[in-house]
Amino acid sequence: MSGLTPGESDDASDALLHEAETTARHLLAAAPVEEVPHVAAWRDANRGFGAKPQRTRNSLEALLRRAGDGLPRVNRLTDLYNAISVLHQVPLGGEDLDRYVGAPRLIRATGDDTFDTSAGGADVTEHPDSGEVV
C-alpha cells in the first residue's frame, strides 16, 4: 500500500474501524463467533496444524470477540489491518521488519522460546507453548 503515513490513529482509520465494528455486529447477530463461517474455517485450518482454537485464537476471531466493546485504536497501520481483517474475515497482521534479528520465519515453538512483543504500549516477553505456531 502506498500513501499511508505512519502515525497516530486518525479520522480515516477511525472510520474504517467503525465500519468493521458494524460488520462484526452483523456477523455476530447471525451466529456465535465460533460459528461464523470464515472463523469456523480458520479454526479447522488451525486444528490441522495442531493448534487448539479455544486456547490460541487467530486474530480475526480475537478481533470479532472484542468488537462489541469497540476495536482498539492503535495507530494508522494497525487500525488499517485490523479493519481489513474484520471486513474481509481473514486473520491479518503486520510486523516491523526493522526490529527482526534475522529473516522472519514461521515455526512451531519448542516451549523454550521467547517472543518479544508489546501489550498496552509496554514491551513484554511471552513464552509460547510447545507446538504453538509462531
Side-chain angles (χ1 to χ4, degrees):
M1 164 165 258
S2 63
L4 183 65
T5 305
E8 298 296 316
S9 299
D10 59 14
D11 291 342
S13 66
D14 189 59
L16 279 171
L17 288 170
H18 277 296
E19 183 181 350
E21 290 162 347
T22 299
T23 296
R25 282 192 289 277
H26 289 308
L27 289 170
L28 298 174
V33 68
E34 61 275 359
E35 294 177 17
V36 171
H38 284 83
V39 172
W42 283 107
R43 283 175 148 244
D44 287 344
N46 289 345
R47 273 189 207 95
F49 60 76
K52 294 181 174 85
Q54 297 84 350
R55 198 179 79 210
T56 307
R57 294 186 177 114
N58 68 63
S59 60
L60 169 61
E61 183 174 347
L63 286 168
L64 288 174
R65 288 179 181 277
R66 296 173 77 177
D69 293 329
L71 294 170
R73 273 62 176 168
V74 180
N75 59 50
R76 286 182 200 131
L77 180 59
T78 305
D79 295 352
L80 177 66
Y81 66 68
N82 283 345
I84 290 170
S85 180
V86 172
L87 291 168
H88 295 278
Q89 298 176 51
V90 61
L92 182 66
E95 299 292 332
D96 183 352
L97 295 179
D98 291 338
R99 296 186 63 172
Y100 268 72
V101 176
R105 61 196 192 286
L106 190 61
I107 61 170
R108 289 185 184 268
T110 64
D112 298 323
D113 310 272
T114 58
F115 182 69
D116 297 323
T117 188
S118 62
D123 290 339
V124 295
T125 300
E126 294 179 356
H127 303 280
D129 294 329
S130 179
E132 183 177 341
V133 177
V134 295

